[in-house]
Amino acid sequence: MRIPFFLFVFAAALQAQTPELETYIEVRTGTLPIVLTVPHGGTLKPESLLARRYGVTGIDSNTIPLSEMIIEELAARYGGKPHVIISRLSRSKLDPNRDLEEAAQGDPTAIAAWHRFHDSTQKACNAVMKKSGMGLLLDIHGHRHLDQRVELGYLVKAEVLKHSDAELNADAALIASTSIRDLDKRSPQSFAQLLRGPQSLGALLEFRGFRCMPSGSKSNPAFLAGYFSGAYDVTAHGSSKSGTVSAIQVECPWNNVRDTPENQRRFAIALADSLGVYFEVHFGRKLK
Ligand SMILES: [Zn+2]
């Protein structure tokens, strides 16, 4: 049987593309019910990819080494590794934390890389659901807002965080639209407590020396202060639409978190310790 010529061309293109896609989007399979996505730490700027013409292009410096330490600290405590998806491409070439059009802006290789990032992330979430029934995705970022706190994004906008705990807890439509919709159903604590109670992720990190928002000490951002409430990754892969993997966008400040290897390590230790408590309190199971 003759194989049509176009299939040869297609196969050759695929072969040529696959190794570089694996370099651009690094995927590691894990065993813990945790998925780490790192969309903005990459520095590769291959000339074969078009530069993005609009949107944010600045990278989240040091989020890749920070994530490597988080992976190490999780492994040291819980006897397994998280699933990991890292974009090694500079944000000037691909922004995985946006819809496809803004992310890749028409470049065929960037489009393929975006698909690899999100297909791999969804596969990781599916593997977590199959093995553990539930899990948590952390989308690791860096911000340069004046208030140098760790910003935790659950798809709850800054102006909504100004509502009282009672108002938040009564807003079923709001809760159902967040990236922790499924976790809210599992946790014995209220939705407001999940966001800023004494055992919220923000409070657990503050107890270990890192100021956060939202948290017990800061329930909502100051007037005109920046705050990232979560974007494409936690919307696409969190539990707002379906599934039992909830997602949190973790925006790390530069000062005291990303700036030096020592501070990166301190934060990785605090986050790994906090997640153990968080799983027991809210997921009702040990992290392992
Ligand atoms: Zn970012």
Side-chain angles (χ1 to χ4, degrees):
M1 193 185 90
R2 276 185 56 126
I3 298 169
F5 178 69
F6 75 86
L7 269 186
F8 269 121
V9 175
F10 180 67
L14 209 65
Q15 261 182 347
Q17 215 176 34
T18 305
E20 63 184 37
L21 275 185
E22 285 174 8
T23 307
Y24 297 161
I25 306 296
E26 189 178 330
V27 178
R28 299 182 215 162
T29 305
T31 50
L32 294 174
I34 292 183
V35 181
L36 285 189
T37 48
V38 192
H40 293 158
T43 51
L44 296 178
K45 295 181 184 174
E47 280 186 15
S48 55
L49 271 77
L50 293 170
R52 294 173 66 242
R53 297 175 304 283
Y54 61 91
V56 182
T57 54
I59 75 162
D60 295 354
S61 302
N62 288 353
T63 49
I64 295 178
L66 174 65
S67 299
E68 297 288 8
M69 292 186 201
I70 296 168
I71 295 161
E72 289 168 10
E73 296 301 331
L74 287 170
R77 281 160 187 72
Y78 308 114
K81 289 190 171 173
H83 299 260
V84 182
I85 298 91
I86 299 172
S87 173
R88 297 263 174 199
L89 284 173
S90 162
R91 204 175 177 183
S92 63
K93 300 287 186 174
L94 174 72
D95 185 345
N97 196 27
R98 294 291 183 273
D99 64 40
L100 179 58
E101 192 175 332
E102 184 180 341
Q105 302 184 8
D107 183 274
T109 307
I111 291 172
W114 184 92
H115 280 295
R116 178 170 160 82
F117 186 94
H118 288 289
D119 292 352
S120 304
T121 301
Q122 196 50 53
K123 242 187 229 169
C125 293
N126 293 347
V128 163
M129 287 191 268
K130 195 170 172 199
K131 184 174 183 213
S132 308
M134 64 191 95
L136 188 66
L137 180 150
L138 298 175
D139 193 36
I140 308 293
H141 292 261
H143 75 80
R144 295 267 190 174
H145 293 148
L146 274 181
D147 194 359
Q148 290 276 290
R149 287 172 184 262
V150 180
E151 297 176 7
L152 301 169
Y154 305 89
L155 299 179
V156 180
K157 297 223 177 315
E159 59 268 24
V160 179
L161 285 174
K162 292 190 168 41
H163 297 176
S164 70
D165 285 2
E167 285 173 311
L168 290 176
N169 290 336
D171 194 341
L174 166 73
I175 296 171
S177 73
T178 69
S179 55
I180 54 166
R181 181 184 67 105
D182 179 76
L183 181 55
D184 175 69
K185 285 190 272 180
R186 292 173 192 279
S187 172
Q189 300 193 358
S190 72
F191 178 67
Q193 281 179 309
L194 257 176
L195 295 184
R196 56 201 184 194
Q199 286 165 315
S200 61
L201 187 58
L204 293 171
L205 283 168
E206 291 210 326
F207 182 71
R208 290 163 180 81
F210 294 90
R211 296 190 315 143
C212 293
M213 220 289 301
S215 68
S217 79
K218 185 112 180 127
S219 59
N220 61 79
F223 181 63
L224 291 182
Y227 166 64
F228 291 123
S229 60
Y232 189 88
D233 293 344
V234 298
T235 307
H237 304 290
S239 58
S240 62
K241 294 189 190 82
S242 65
T244 55
V245 172
S246 291
I248 306 173
Q249 181 167 310
V250 180
E251 286 278 354
C252 300
W254 180 255
N255 297 347
N256 301 318
V257 178
R258 289 185 290 139
D259 51 0
T260 66
E262 292 72 29
N263 285 334
Q264 292 161 24
R265 181 65 66 183
R266 280 196 316 120
F267 181 73
I269 289 170
L271 181 60
D273 283 342
S274 298
L275 286 171
V277 179
Y278 195 77
F279 264 73
E280 286 198 39
V281 170
H282 301 292
F283 285 93
R285 53 160 290 170
K286 280 200 182 316
L287 179 55
K288 60 178 191 260

